[in-house]
Amino acid sequence: MRPHFGILLGYFFCAAHHVVSSPLMKRDADFNDVKTRLKSSNQKVDASKPNKYFHESAFHYHYDGRFADKAPSDGMRQVHLRALIQTYLATMNDIGIETFLMHGTLLGWWWNRKIMPWDSDIDVMVSEKSIHHMAAYYNMTVHHHRIPESGVSRDYLLEVNPHYTNSDWDADNKIDARWIDTDSGLFIDITTLRRNTTAEELGIHGAMSVKDKHHYNYDDIFPLRITDFEGSPAKIPYAYSEILVEEYGQNALTDSYFESHRFDSSIKQWVPKPLPGHAGGARFRESFAQGD
Ligand SMILES: *[C@@H]1O[C@H](CO)[C@@H](O)[C@H](O)[C@H]1NC(C)=O
Ligand SMILES: *[C@@H]1O[C@H](CO)[C@@H](O)[C@H](O)[C@H]1NC(C)=O
């Protein structure tokens, strides 16, 4: 880990803060201060959202245009995604950030502790205490990792949204932080699970919310369970199966045919399997004991 970009930049932003109130001031860190291999930025700027901090590339919403100018092939994307989550989990574990898998990533964990082959992003949450810790000590830090699978070395940038201090619903700033691959531009959106004091005052004990409008109960999430994902130490919510059923339905935990893939229980892998042509796209189930 080496803290770098942004010592000067931070000063510039602080200084500018008192002088002007340009509507674009809250944008993600300036291209010239973070650029790696590109000559110009491919970020898309939406002038109608002056308060939106994080931006995405003009070519695809899962990429940061400060670092990439095109999306890789599907196969390469999966390689980058795996490296992204492995490096994220390892780093968060090292620096003491409480983070856990959610949504599609948690579903992937449920089947075989891996990213599902058709998934194009990764979903994680952090606790409130951890987002404060990240903002105070790790904003704009760059983390160097050697990726075992490819043998290449990569720098990952941890950038924290200054709007993280606002816990209200904010459509433009649902993402509190990003873990960004500064080579491929692929990133992980990090959201914060917070106590919802409004709901608590209404008598909902343990009410918790995420800025993207997901709601949970404290006891569904904590204590987190310790496990592993893509070979790295990971945490998952306590009531993971209830959370998955609520979000995806009971079938998501039992249907072994999905998105043109079949779950092969002998090798514990999703393998490509186009549905039989004559079946007209019908889905069918295979019953097997899902051992874990
Ligand atoms: C993190 O640093 C960037 C770049 O200096 C800045 O734009 C952003 O406001 C900072 N975030 C926090 C939480 O201070
Ligand atoms: C907190 O709970 C209240 C009442 O249920 C709800 O209206 C509000 O949207 C919640 N806050 C967030 C950030 O989701």
Side-chain angles (χ1 to χ4, degrees), residues 10 27 48 59 75 81 96 101 109 111 124 144 167 181 237 244 275 277 283 285:
R27 289 205 50 203
S48 69
F59 61 86
L81 272 181
L101 314 178
W109 172 86
W111 284 94
V124 295
H144 190 72
S167 54
D181 176 345
L244 284 172
L275 291 170
R283 282 168 61 162
R285 286 164 75 151

Side-chain angles (χ1 to χ4, degrees), residues 55-237:
H55 286 72
E56 295 78 30
S57 79
F59 61 86
H60 193 285
Y61 62 97
H62 279 158
Y63 294 82
D64 187 320
R66 294 172 299 180
F67 305 108
D69 50 7
K70 58 176 183 302
S73 65
D74 283 0
M76 273 319 285
R77 184 194 61 205
Q78 293 311 109
V79 173
H80 294 322
L81 272 181
R82 268 197 298 281
L84 202 58
I85 188 69
Q86 289 164 339
T87 54
Y88 170 79
L89 291 171
T91 305
M92 296 306 122
N93 196 49
D94 283 352
I95 68 178
I97 295 291
E98 187 166 63
T99 187
F100 47 97
L101 314 178
M102 288 300 272
H103 310 303
T105 307
L106 184 60
L107 187 58
W109 172 86
W110 194 86
W111 284 94
N112 62 354
R113 304 188 177 194
K114 288 181 171 30
I115 300 169
M116 296 180 295
W118 56 86
D119 235 357
S120 60
D121 66 354
I122 288 165
D123 298 295
V124 295
M125 286 183 195
V126 296
S127 63
E128 240 173 318
K129 198 171 156 215
S130 286
I131 195 71
H132 286 285
H133 187 75
M134 240 190 230
Y137 301 107
Y138 293 99
N139 186 28
M140 301 307 286
T141 52
V142 175
H143 304 256
H144 190 72
H145 285 271
R146 193 178 162 278
I147 316 302
E149 189 174 342
S150 55
V152 300
S153 289
R154 285 275 162 95
D155 283 341
Y156 293 84
L157 168 66
L158 185 59
E159 182 165 1
V160 186
N161 188 337
H163 297 276
Y164 86 95
T165 48
N166 170 20
S167 54
D168 295 336
W169 155 244
D170 175 353
D172 292 340
N173 292 293
K174 296 182 269 193
I175 309 308
D176 291 299
R178 260 184 192 165
W179 177 253
I180 310 161
D181 176 345
T182 65
D183 191 68
S184 73
L186 207 58
F187 53 78
I188 299 182
D189 280 337
I190 303 168
T191 56
T192 308
L193 179 69
R194 300 176 158 89
R195 278 181 64 186
N196 183 332
T197 48
T198 315
E200 278 182 329
E201 277 158 22
L202 293 171
I204 309 168
H205 178 73
M208 303 197 86
S209 297
V210 186
K211 276 192 197 175
D212 61 9
K213 293 217 161 153
H214 279 97
H215 302 288
Y216 301 93
N217 194 277
Y218 182 92
D219 295 333
D220 292 336
I221 307 290
F222 300 104
L224 296 172
R225 293 176 191 266
I226 296 169
T227 177
D228 58 87
F229 187 69
E230 291 287 359
S232 297
K235 294 194 176 96
I236 53 164

